Amino acid sequence: MPYDAGSYDVIVVGAGHAGCEAGLAAARMGAKTLMLTISLDTIGFMPCNPSVGGPAKGVVVREIDALGGEMGKNVDKTYIQLRMLNTRKGPAVRALRAQVDKVAYQREMKKTLENQENLTLVQAMVEELIVEGDTCIGVVTKTGARYYGKAVVLTTGTFLRGEIIIGELKYSSGPNNQQPSIKLSDHLKELGFELVRFKTGTPMRINSRTIDYSKTEIQPGDEGPLAFSYETKEFRTEQLPCWLTYTNAETHEIINKNLHRAPMFSGMIKGTGARYCPSIEDKVVRFSDKPRHQIFLEPEGMDTNEVYVQGLSTSMPEEVQHQMLRTVPGLENAQLMRPGYAIEYDVIVPTQLWPTLETKKIKNLFTAGQINGTSGYEEAAAQGLLAGINAVRKIRGQSEVILKRSDAYIGVLIDDLVTKGTNEPYRLLTSRAEYRLLLRHDNADLRLTEIGYEVGLISEERYKKFLAKKEAIHEEIKRLRSIIIKPSPQVQAFLREIGSSELKDGIRASDLLKRPEISYEDVLRFAPRKTPLSPDASEQVEIQIKYEGYIEKSLQQVERLLKMENKKIPEDIDYDAIHGLATEARQKLKKVRPLTIAQASRISGVNPADISILLVYLEHGKIARVSSNEG
Amino acid sequence: MEQDTIAAISTPLGEGAIGIVRMSGPEAIAIADKLYRGSKGKRLKDVPSHTIHYGKIIDLETNETAEEVMVSVMKAPKTFTREDVVEINCHGGIASVNRVLQLVLREGARLAEPGEFTKRAFLNGRIDLSQAEAVMDLIRAKTDKAMTIALGQMEGRLSKLVRRLRREIVEILAQIEVNIDYPEYDDVEEMTHHMLLEKGRYIRGEIKKILETSKQGKILREGLSTAIIGRPNVGKSSLLNSLAQENKAIVTDIPGTTRDVIEEYVNVRGIPLRLLDTAGIRETEDIVERIGVERSRKVLQEADLILLVLNYGEKLSPEDERLFEAVEGMDVIVIVNKTDLPQKIDMEKVKQLAKGKKVITTSLLKEEGIDELEEAIASMFFAGEIEGGDLTYVSNSRHIALLHQALQAVEDALAATEAGMPVDIVQIDLTRSWELLGEIIGENVHEDLINQLFSQFCLGK
């Protein structure tokens, strides 16, 4: 029998990467928060790669940290390998990537949740929402508990009507054989939400003791103190390497011979998979001329022998998976511990959301993570954080927090989702960002700490430190701009030595630093400081001076767009009453209901003429109001 | 509201027989009135609203008639902008419309920003709902038309070129992106600086080629500004006459107006030459002498083409050599005239001074060498490749501007590559060029384009 189980400010459904951030953010902002999860043993579970970060995604983890989120800190506590990627490329695309001890990650995250004030953690499966009028006011669990909440955040991941597919086998399941959530999905449909079906997948796990590593190439981590979080002080020293091997003609032959049994091709899978994350059968079919594909062997943790076989994502029958492994150098005798599988699940069409991640249909209901059609732990965590923040601000009557595309990758992610939607699991790529040079991993704190502080997720102490760093960077740049380095014999000798051209005349220290071959350290030789700057402040000084011209150009672009960003479209606008809009544009506008002209202009199918008409209409509306005021 | 008076040419440049200069604002009628001379001392400030008047526009500095015109006077508030509006209908041709525009600007009007007339209409509450709808229809139609025209214009050689270029650029971009987003994958070749330079230079060359055709577009619309220079008595005046004589002078064909020859224009193989400072040539036979060194240099700078005339029957003088120096680096055709006289000029020396520029010998008196000259002019600007009938040139100034910006972006990318900037920094400029080219063919539109299109309504209306 249903019973009343209590009232909260915010209820978070799910405790994956989105749920954890949402719950922690809400609780830390002082809201009385309830987190409900199907299983307390799978908090912060990573059903796929034991890996966090990489290009774009790594920047997101930094952004989460700058906003006061948890993911970066938790990775720093539990990684088994950390690498800085793209170091030979420019600063805009550098990114950290960690291999994470999966079990340790879950354990640490659970500990953090359990010890968080204002946060209540309960194991329960939510089957229904309590909706009054057009507002969500709570949830009902399978066991009949009725929890009331001023706002509800759904972070159901791939659990909604989840189905696992391995070869000809298909069964109802959440990821890794957890309980799926069937009723909630039906309930959302009843409430009028449009759901679509997506597909994702994961490779097999094998036993490390059965791998012949001598036939593979080692991929070590980077030495040195690296961390995702700006607050991390202790750095893990013990690291595990990854290993590289390849498929070959034999592997491909086995796959080709068994294609009729591959659910992707037999028609058994109907959900849309992601192009950037193809299964090995997909790769073999689509790139049939490639003689081999890379396979990275990634340890799943310090205390386990399970190894993740990156590159062999598959939903082939288990039997074929065994055969495939046999053909790969080093894996001839590998023992398969868990088979790879594909999973299909329900996704809310994300254009049904406001940029705050609140649903348009039902007030005070937010959704975040894979339920919104994304893939990736980082994308999920980022949405969870923003949904948590906005849920609390909504119930407190505070203004919404919407990150612009020029503020953060998180802004790009959410804007893409709610403006354009997605027809495959959405993954962040650096190329999705127009202002990549502004959205660097090294300046995430400079971009976002202010916002994190304002919403109450950054401590006073950290904020003060941040301000000091900002000031130090500013002062040092000013200093380098004021110092003239003269063509002294020492300077010339040094420049000759490193293959740079000699000075003809005195040059500003900042201008010398603009030479690609000159580093900040080099400049310090001839423009010494009394006290050294911190390494990350030094990095900022170097990047901000070296790429000044480019950064300036990007900022100008942002500036130009700002007018459009600031042109608000009233929420109650009646697109049917606007004469002259093209039919397709009208339909899209009615569906997306953009908040600004800039957002409207990013909707595919809304062309410049429609934007002009919209502007005319808005201008006209304003005039009408002005004249009625005058009258 | 808006206090000043704005003016702009409201018909597309170079198209149609009539050009209109439109003014809007509190001073519009007063400014027009100052410049207007009607029959029987008619004053525009006294005429009723929404009437049209024949008369002349006077250059107040010289008191000469600048143009024969029809002037419409529309008083506030029943005008498009709800301000006083004056429209001055001029003879066709850019020169005449431009001249009138310059005169009204001189009298205190301000050149309108793109879109400003329409903006004023909105801001002054000119548009009620039904009219707003009409304007929206207009925008719809105009934008679609602009797009169609753009695409129509782009069909054939040029559209293929732009599309192909974009494809090439996007392939480079994709390769860089993959390098960035999947740093460990060995599937994709690493984009090196060397490769980038090679591809960047190729793309730069291609855009330049397109721009060359766009220059022709500009020339066909506005005329090829041409300066004839040379010492006295080398035959500049005869050259002008013989270019103009063979029925090539451009005339207006507005019914009711005299079929006046517009002296500044001659038509050479379909290319309108706009001769700079022809008055100078006629009056004193020596532009350099008459207007002084400073100004003649300025004239030379403005010119798209310089015809440097020498005398076959005289030795080269230091003055001649100075002329060669003055036109260094410009598009020049050297004409050695008066081959009917005994040769005294050292042709070897001429060729040496010409530094590879085209040298043509003529006898304007005997009408010899004129064909060759015309051929040289035509081939110089059409690179001899393009035939009259099916020119696919870029005539839209928005497209030309975009091509220039795209070229600049590629140049920036190349400079960054040469300076050893990381590939992903170079990529920023490359992406920009890709977007700019996309705007030309209406792909990947964003708000700059929208502004641009919005702006065009006003001037074109």
Side-chain angles (χ1 to χ4, degrees):
Chain A
M1 278 306 285
Y3 71 101
D4 284 352
S7 293
Y8 294 85
D9 292 327
V10 176
I11 298 173
V12 178
V13 180
H17 304 284
C20 288
E21 296 293 348
L24 284 170
R28 286 167 177 169
M29 287 167 78
K32 191 181 168 199
T33 305
L34 172 70
M35 278 181 76
L36 300 170
T37 170
I38 292 176
S39 166
L40 283 174
D41 298 327
T42 51
I43 286 171
F45 178 61
M46 300 185 174
C48 201
N49 260 40
S51 167
V52 171
K57 290 160 165 275
V59 184
V60 169
V61 180
R62 284 264 173 153
E63 291 175 351
I64 290 169
D65 186 68
L67 289 167
E70 192 62 25
M71 181 172 245
K73 291 190 182 77
N74 210 50
V75 172
D76 288 345
K77 283 188 258 182
T78 58
Y79 68 81
I80 53 178
Q81 187 191 101
L82 204 51
R83 282 184 73 185
M84 184 67 89
L85 302 177
N86 288 334
T87 46
R88 284 183 301 128
K89 303 190 181 89
V93 296
R94 273 172 220 153
L96 272 176
R97 195 193 54 206
Q99 297 302 132
V100 174
D101 185 317
K102 278 188 178 177
V103 176
Y105 189 92
Q106 286 177 244
R107 194 180 56 229
E108 286 299 326
M109 187 57 92
K110 188 174 182 221
K111 209 193 292 177
T112 303
L113 294 179
E114 285 172 346
N115 290 303
Q116 176 61 49
E117 231 175 294
N118 298 327
L119 186 63
T120 307
L121 199 55
V122 173
Q123 177 165 303
M125 186 186 292
V126 169
E127 297 200 322
E128 266 182 41
L129 303 176
I130 309 173
V131 177
E132 208 176 67
D134 59 356
T135 307
C136 183
I137 56 161
V139 299
V140 184
T141 71
K142 191 174 183 174
T143 51
R146 261 197 308 257
Y147 293 100
Y148 290 93
K150 293 174 189 151
V152 172
V153 184
L154 291 183
T155 66
T156 56
T158 59
F159 283 79
L160 287 185
R161 277 207 310 129
E163 278 181 306
I164 281 181
I165 302 127
I166 305 172
E168 294 86 356
L169 175 67
K170 184 170 189 172
Y171 58 93
S172 182
S173 172
N176 198 34
N177 292 341
Q178 298 177 64
Q179 275 190 76
S181 171
I182 313 289
K183 286 204 174 157
L184 184 57
S185 186
D186 294 337
H187 181 65
L188 288 171
K189 249 185 258 172
E190 280 162 28
L191 289 171
F193 285 104
E194 189 188 344
L195 304 183
V196 289
R197 205 124 174 95
F198 276 7
K199 171 253 163 188
T200 185
T202 192
M204 63 287 275
R205 315 297 196 271
I206 56 179
N207 189 330
S208 178
R209 281 165 57 215
T210 60
I211 298 172
D212 182 354
Y213 286 109
S214 68
K215 294 182 179 165
T216 67
E217 298 162 32
I218 191 162
Q219 305 263 302
D222 290 341
E223 300 276 332
L226 292 172
F228 274 109
S229 174
Y230 289 90
E231 285 185 298
T232 294
K233 303 275 175 330
E234 285 168 42
F235 303 93
R236 292 170 63 87
T237 45
E238 201 183 343
Q239 296 205 25
L240 288 181
C242 295
W243 306 85
L244 173 63
T245 181
Y246 298 91
T247 63
N248 52 40
E250 219 184 320
T251 327
H252 300 177
E253 199 192 317
I254 288 172
I255 290 165
N256 279 320
K257 252 202 313 220
N258 288 285
L259 272 185
H260 61 284
R261 301 184 67 189
M264 285 298 289
F265 300 97
S266 67
M268 197 145 145
I269 289 182
K270 299 204 172 50
T272 317
R275 277 165 305 167
Y276 48 80
C277 201
S279 60
I280 185 67
E281 49 267 33
D282 224 7
K283 287 193 256 185
V284 166
V285 169
R286 280 173 44 208
F287 304 97
S288 54
D289 53 336
K290 268 189 64 89
R292 64 179 199 177
H293 296 277
Q294 287 169 309
I295 293 176
F296 292 94
L297 302 172
E298 306 178 1
E300 293 235 321
M302 285 283 179
D303 303 321
T304 175
N305 284 328
E306 279 194 76
V307 171
Y308 177 94
V309 189
Q310 200 225 106
L312 272 192
S313 179
T314 184
S315 53
M316 281 288 199
E318 194 173 284
E319 166 191 10
V320 181
Q321 296 189 24
H322 281 289
Q323 292 173 30
M324 277 156 59
L325 283 175
R326 300 276 164 275
T327 65
V328 179
L331 307 186
E332 295 89 344
N333 299 307
Q335 181 231 329
L336 188 130
M337 294 178 76
R338 304 180 200 226
Y341 63 85
I343 184 166
E344 285 190 311
Y345 54 99
D346 283 347
V347 161
I348 277 201
V349 172
T351 48
Q352 298 172 96
L353 307 174
W354 297 115
T356 56
L357 299 178
E358 185 185 11
T359 67
K360 290 168 187 168
K361 199 166 284 296
I362 296 180
K363 291 197 180 100
N364 296 3
L365 176 65
F366 295 75
T367 60
Q370 263 173 308
I371 186 177
N372 290 345
T374 59
S375 88
Y377 314 137
E378 305 84 351
E379 287 89 341
Q383 292 171 67
L385 178 60
L386 269 293
I389 290 172
N390 278 313
V392 174
R393 290 180 72 85
K394 172 89 197 265
I395 60 181
R396 288 180 179 164
Q398 293 168 319
S399 64
E400 59 251 16
V401 174
I402 299 170
L403 300 177
K404 287 196 288 295
R405 298 179 75 89
S406 52
D407 289 336
Y409 271 100
I410 303 177
V412 173
L413 162 74
I414 294 177
D415 182 62
D416 276 350
L417 285 178
V418 304
T419 306
K420 295 178 184 152
T422 179
N423 45 26
E424 65 180 333
Y426 179 101
R427 179 202 155 139
L428 262 178
L429 299 164
T430 62
S431 51
R432 296 199 197 262
E434 299 87 337
Y435 313 110
R436 189 153 73 186
L437 190 55
L438 302 181
L439 308 184
R440 305 188 308 269
H441 109 111
D442 59 83
N443 71 351
D445 59 336
L446 295 173
R447 289 184 274 126
L448 300 170
T449 305
E450 210 81 55
I451 297 172
Y453 176 69
E454 215 160 284
V455 300
L457 289 174
I458 295 291
S459 70
E460 201 64 46
E461 186 198 344
R462 177 170 172 186
Y463 184 60
K464 278 198 185 119
K465 260 194 185 156
F466 159 76
L467 290 179
K469 175 183 169 186
K470 210 167 130 181
E471 180 62 18
I473 295 165
H474 179 74
E475 285 299 318
E476 178 65 354
I477 291 175
K478 218 165 82 182
R479 188 182 76 92
L480 293 181
R481 281 192 182 136
S482 68
I483 290 178
I484 306 284
I485 293 179
K486 301 218 167 65
S488 69
Q490 296 97 308
V491 171
Q492 305 291 48
F494 172 77
L495 291 175
R496 258 197 316 275
E497 190 189 319
I498 63 162
S500 189
S501 52
E502 292 182 25
L503 299 183
K504 290 193 189 71
D505 224 328
I507 181 173
R508 268 180 235 280
S510 53
D511 286 335
L512 186 63
L513 181 49
K514 281 187 181 151
R515 294 186 177 184
E517 66 279 8
I518 302 281
S519 71
Y520 173 61
E521 242 174 273
D522 296 335
V523 172
L524 279 184
R525 287 163 177 249
F526 307 110
R529 275 177 67 93
K530 285 189 204 87
T531 51
L533 270 188
S534 69
D536 57 335
S538 307
E539 188 187 19
Q540 281 313 304
V541 170
E542 174 154 353
I543 291 171
Q544 287 187 25
I545 290 181
K546 223 178 231 334
Y547 301 102
E548 192 181 18
Y550 289 89
I551 292 172
E552 196 51 48
K553 236 193 272 182
S554 295
L555 286 173
Q556 282 167 8
Q557 280 178 34
V558 172
E559 189 65 35
R560 277 204 293 275
L561 201 65
L562 205 60
K563 264 192 289 181
M564 307 280 280
E565 294 284 359
N566 289 339
K567 243 189 197 116
K568 298 263 185 285
I569 301 174
E571 261 185 51
D572 58 356
I573 191 167
D574 179 3
Y575 289 108
D576 284 326
I578 303 177
H579 183 79
L581 287 174
T583 311
E584 188 195 357
R586 192 191 306 277
Q587 282 166 355
K588 291 276 180 68
L589 287 165
K590 279 165 79 174
K591 187 168 179 181
V592 175
R593 290 155 75 187
L595 297 179
T596 65
I597 287 288
Q599 195 193 347
S601 71
R602 289 192 290 265
I603 301 171
S604 60
V606 175
N607 69 32
D610 302 305
I611 292 297
S612 300
I613 286 166
L614 209 52
L615 280 169
V616 171
Y617 179 87
L618 291 179
E619 206 64 51
H620 171 72
K622 201 161 73 197
I623 290 157
R625 274 196 297 281
V626 169
S627 26
S628 66
N629 286 348
E630 282 166 358
Chain B
M1 288 270 176
E2 310 275 334
Q3 290 305 313
D4 56 356
T5 297
I6 53 172
I9 297 172
S10 70
T11 40
L13 292 182
E15 290 171 22
I18 298 178
I20 298 174
V21 173
R22 175 190 282 164
M23 279 192 285
S24 175
E27 295 296 311
I29 296 174
I31 292 170
D33 187 57
K34 269 195 262 180
L35 298 169
Y36 173 83
R37 298 289 177 272
S39 57
K40 298 173 198 157
K42 178 155 74 175
R43 302 295 301 262
L44 289 179
K45 60 180 182 176
D46 301 329
V47 303
S49 184
H50 293 76
T51 52
I52 188 159
H53 309 274
Y54 169 80
K56 289 172 177 149
I57 292 292
I58 303 296
D59 183 336
L60 292 177
E61 278 185 7
T62 61
N63 254 327
E64 285 169 11
T65 301
E67 276 295 317
E68 239 176 293
V69 294
M70 302 288 287
V71 184
S72 315
V73 176
M74 290 156 280
K75 291 182 183 168
K78 287 188 175 173
T79 68
F80 178 59
T81 56
R82 273 205 176 170
E83 300 173 335
D84 287 347
V85 170
V86 172
E87 289 183 351
I88 305 173
N89 299 255
C90 314
H91 290 178
I94 292 134
S96 60
V97 191
N98 232 331
R99 191 156 174 199
V100 171
L101 177 65
Q102 295 310 321
L103 292 176
V104 303
L105 295 179
R106 204 199 276 163
E107 292 310 313
R110 172 172 64 76
L111 187 63
E113 288 165 19
E116 205 172 356
F117 286 97
T118 317
K119 187 177 139 203
R120 287 192 173 195
F122 296 149
L123 293 180
N124 291 333
R126 162 66 173 74
I127 295 169
D128 65 25
L129 190 61
S130 62
Q131 283 163 320
E133 289 180 355
V135 170
M136 287 172 189
D137 275 342
L138 200 67
I139 288 171
R140 170 101 263 152
K142 285 224 171 191
T143 316
D144 289 350
K145 192 171 161 228
M147 227 60 217
T148 321
I149 289 171
L151 293 173
Q153 191 175 40
M154 287 286 122
E155 258 162 26
R157 203 164 73 97
L158 209 58
S159 106
K160 273 185 208 140
L161 260 176
V162 171
R163 276 177 213 281
R164 203 190 71 217
L165 271 184
R166 289 195 89 224
R167 208 161 47 236
E168 305 235 11
I169 297 175
V170 91
E171 277 167 14
I172 305 172
L173 291 178
Q175 197 172 337
I176 298 174
E177 295 298 342
V178 176
N179 291 160
I180 291 168
D181 273 324
Y182 297 90
E184 286 166 330
Y185 278 69
D186 62 0
D187 298 23
V188 186
E189 195 182 355
E190 181 90 22
M191 179 60 78
T192 60
H193 279 78
H194 179 73
M195 287 160 68
L196 258 182
L197 277 180
E198 196 178 303
K199 299 205 167 177
R201 284 182 187 138
Y202 168 75
I203 287 160
R204 175 176 63 186
E206 292 298 299
I207 298 179
K208 276 189 177 165
K209 269 194 221 159
I210 302 177
L211 272 172
E212 270 160 35
T213 60
S214 87
K215 191 173 177 189
Q216 292 157 12
K218 176 176 169 272
I219 289 161
L220 289 170
R221 275 194 331 277
E222 294 172 13
L224 178 66
S225 59
T226 308
I228 302 178
I229 61 168
R231 283 187 295 123
N233 271 325
V234 292
K236 297 192 293 289
S237 196
S238 322
L239 177 60
L240 175 65
N241 285 335
S242 66
L243 286 175
Q245 255 167 23
E246 302 176 12
N247 299 323
K248 286 169 186 162
I250 294 170
V251 296
T252 64
D253 51 6
I254 305 163
T257 60
T258 336
R259 290 178 62 88
D260 283 339
V261 173
I262 297 172
E263 284 191 320
E264 299 95 319
Y265 278 88
V266 294
N267 190 331
V268 173
R269 308 228 166 153
I271 308 164
L273 301 195
R274 184 158 54 86
L275 298 169
L276 298 170
D277 233 322
T278 50
I281 294 172
R282 284 197 191 284
E283 280 165 23
T284 73
E285 270 288 296
D286 189 357
I287 166 178
V288 179
E289 185 185 279
R290 193 181 76 92
I291 60 184
V293 180
E294 261 325 290
R295 208 177 136 203
S296 63
R297 276 191 200 284
K298 208 176 143 236
V299 169
L300 291 181
Q301 302 266 303
E302 278 172 22
D304 295 320
L305 172 66
I306 291 152
L307 303 177
L308 197 170
V309 191
L310 303 170
N311 190 338
Y312 187 78
E314 287 177 18
K315 283 187 177 158
L316 277 170
S317 72
E319 255 180 273
D320 289 327
E321 294 194 26
R322 253 185 284 128
L323 287 174
F324 272 107
E325 276 168 37
V327 299
E328 182 88 42
M330 303 176 185
D331 282 330
V332 180
I333 295 174
V334 180
I335 299 161
V336 184
N337 187 32
K338 303 196 182 180
T339 50
D340 41 291
L341 297 177
Q343 177 175 5
K344 286 200 179 149
I345 201 162
D346 177 354
M347 285 303 285
E348 278 312 306
K349 187 81 189 293
V350 170
K351 278 179 189 150
Q352 208 184 317
L353 286 167
K355 289 182 184 161
K357 284 162 189 146
K358 193 100 184 163
V359 179
I360 287 168
T361 53
T362 60
S363 167
L364 295 169
L365 190 71
K366 291 188 173 174
E367 297 183 5
E368 283 168 10
I370 297 169
D371 262 4
E372 207 187 334
L373 172 62
E374 292 184 350
E375 183 61 39
I377 293 171
S379 70
M380 198 151 185
F381 284 90
F382 291 123
E385 292 168 1
I386 297 164
E387 299 187 355
D390 52 8
L391 289 174
T392 49
Y393 54 83
V394 197
S395 68
N396 182 315
S397 58
R398 188 176 75 82
H399 295 164
I400 295 173
L402 285 168
L403 280 165
H404 274 293
Q405 289 173 39
L407 179 64
Q408 187 55 50
V410 175
E411 299 273 15
D412 289 349
L414 281 169
T417 313
E418 276 160 6
M421 283 285 180
V423 169
D424 51 284
I425 294 281
V426 175
Q427 190 257 7
I428 295 173
D429 286 319
L430 217 48
T431 306
R432 184 88 193 113
S433 71
W434 177 73
E435 289 170 352
L436 288 163
L437 291 174
E439 285 185 27
I440 294 175
I441 53 175
E443 286 169 13
N444 163 70
V445 281
H446 44 88
E447 114 293 343
D448 277 332
L449 173 66
I450 295 156
N451 286 340
Q452 196 79 41
L453 286 172
F454 206 75
S455 304
Q456 284 184 351
F457 301 137
C458 177
L459 290 170
K461 245 178 89 117

